[in-house]
Each structure stands twice: as C-alpha cells, then as structure tokens.
Amino acid sequence: MNKQVLVFEQFSPETATATRKGWQLDAAKGLAFEPEQERLFDWVDAHRDVVENDAVAFGIFDQKDQVALGVCEVTIQRKTARSKWVKMLRLHLKPSIDASLQAGDADQAMSVFVVSMRGSIALQLAHSANTLKVYGRTNEQLNFLKALLQHLTTATAGKPIKASIEGRFLSIVIS
Amino acid sequence: MSNLLSFEVQSPRADVVLFLQDAIEVCARQAALDVGLQGVQNFFAGYKDSIEAARIAA
C-alpha cells in the first residue's frame, strides 16, 4: 500500500467546492452539523487568497485528492517594518477524521496537525516572517502546546530557534 | 550600516526552516504521547468552539 502524502495548499475554486461536497457527505452520515460546515466553507470561499493582516484558508490534502482532510486558518501579519508573524489560529478536521479520533485513532488527526505546522513554517520562509505563533484557546490546547514546547526546546538546542509560550500562543522565533 | 537603514524584512534561513519542520514532526508526535489520546481529543475539541474567539486573537 502506498504511503499517504499530505500537502498544505491554498484552496482553488475547484478544491474548495470538492471539499465542501466531500464534507457534506460526512455530514449526511451524521458526522457533523451541516449548517456549521456551510458557514466554514462560505468563509473558505471568501479567504482563499493571501492578504497581509487578514485570515487565509489553507487545505491539508492527500496529494491525490481534491477533498481536504483539514482546513487551517492562518494570518500573515506585519508587526513592524522588520518583523512579520505567521499565526496558525484554527484547524478544522474533516468530520470522518474527527470521528476516527473520537473512536480512538489519533494518527490521521495528528498527521493533519503536523502538515499544518510544517506548512505554516514554510509560510514563514515564503513571506519572510521570523515568528510563528500557534494559538491555544483552551487550557487543554495549551497543555498540548506546552508538551510540544518541551520537546521542541530540547530538539532545537544550539539552533537559531527560540520557542516559548506567550500568553495563549506557542511562539517560535527563527533568528 | 546600510542594514540598519534597510526596511526589508529579514527572511529566515531555509536550512533552519527545514530543520524546524522536521523537528516539529517528531516533537508533535512525542507531545501527543505525553498528553495521551484524551489530551489529543481535547486539543482538537478546542478548535470546534467559538470561531470569534480565534478571530479576536488574530
């Protein structure tokens, strides 16, 4: 069996439509609340392009499929003349992947998260942003981000990378 | 001195970015083991609530 290769890409009109339809099929099976999804994809349609200081929707795709496995909300912010931030604000899982997670299989959900993080880091390079901030709204999210920080601190020792928790964000600065 | 007068944003080094991407992959999976299945479920549940809260944080 071929290994699934996931990519982090902006939505095209075609992939946005295919994803909306794919997630509607999941909702029809009772895996999600359809009006909530409709609001999400209306938002995706309005945020497909990168606009500095505004949110943009990225999809996490199996490279062989047009239906996204996740929708990631990112902003690219210019903080000062010399400093830009990429903020990863939200990650919506395809309902079938969320159902697997609820059933005890976290593997695909974690793959979607990892690809979202890798993609957000790639945006740092593409947009000359030295800082990545990952938002943790709830205390449970912050607990996970703190665990991630602990490992990241060890893994990046000696590298020009500084990770810390700032407020409700995991902040990763590349100097 | 010319660097001090420049208003160009300094881009992160590509090799450091690639290193960080690989580190994130390993560290995220280690963090998932630390918090356990319930912790991972709770982490993703946090994204389901309150779209406005995230927008405000932006």
Side-chain angles (χ1 to χ4, degrees):
Chain A
M1 199 169 99
N2 287 337
K3 192 175 184 298
Q4 194 178 35
V5 177
L6 302 186
V7 294
F8 182 84
E9 288 179 350
Q10 280 175 259
F11 282 93
S12 66
E14 292 75 24
T15 57
T17 301
T19 302
R20 185 192 287 259
K21 286 181 180 169
W23 290 33
Q24 277 171 347
L25 290 176
D26 282 355
K29 293 175 193 162
L31 300 178
F33 186 49
E34 194 164 348
E36 213 165 81
Q37 281 193 182
E38 289 303 303
R39 279 199 298 276
L40 171 64
F41 286 104
D42 288 346
W43 176 83
V44 168
D45 285 338
H47 293 83
R48 286 192 292 101
D49 299 320
V50 174
V51 177
E52 214 167 83
N53 298 322
D54 194 8
V56 58
F58 280 83
I60 297 88
F61 297 90
D62 179 332
Q63 66 175 4
K64 290 183 241 160
D65 198 351
Q66 289 208 313
V67 177
L69 303 175
V71 175
C72 186
E73 182 174 339
V74 174
T75 62
I76 298 161
Q77 290 184 313
R78 181 178 287 273
K79 296 306 291 180
T80 67
R82 287 167 177 269
S83 172
K84 269 191 191 176
W85 292 356
V86 173
K87 280 185 180 175
M88 184 176 141
L89 295 174
R90 288 174 67 87
L91 179 59
H92 306 265
L93 293 175
K94 186 175 188 291
S96 59
I97 292 179
D98 188 46
S100 296
L101 173 63
Q102 298 312 317
D105 180 1
D107 194 52
Q108 267 203 304
M110 282 307 301
S111 294
V112 170
F113 175 76
V114 165
V115 172
S116 299
M117 289 286 293
R118 290 184 71 107
S120 297
I121 293 165
L123 286 176
Q124 286 185 265
L125 186 62
H127 292 271
S128 301
N130 60 350
T131 301
L132 170 65
K133 286 181 170 272
V134 184
Y135 184 53
R137 190 180 69 82
T138 64
N139 290 338
E140 289 79 9
Q141 287 190 304
L142 277 176
N143 286 342
F144 176 81
L145 294 177
K146 284 175 185 170
L148 176 54
L149 169 66
Q150 206 169 19
H151 291 290
L152 205 51
T153 302
T154 305
T156 60
K159 297 285 182 183
I161 297 168
K162 185 179 182 305
S164 60
I165 295 288
E166 293 179 2
R168 302 202 76 86
F169 286 92
L170 168 64
S171 172
I172 304 171
V173 181
I174 302 175
S175 55
Chain B
M1 185 57 129
S2 61
N3 283 345
L4 293 174
L5 296 174
S6 168
F7 287 99
E8 285 298 309
V9 177
Q10 196 173 19
S11 185
R13 277 169 37 195
D15 60 328
V16 179
V17 167
L18 289 174
F19 174 85
L20 179 58
Q21 284 181 314
D22 289 343
I24 282 288
E25 177 129 27
V26 174
C27 294
R29 294 195 186 276
Q30 288 174 326
L33 290 176
D34 289 350
V35 301
L37 176 63
Q38 183 74 59
V40 174
Q41 288 171 335
N42 289 341
F43 175 75
F44 283 99
Y47 285 127
K48 292 180 185 172
D49 306 323
S50 181
I51 289 170
E52 279 314 302
R55 303 263 153 76
I56 290 164

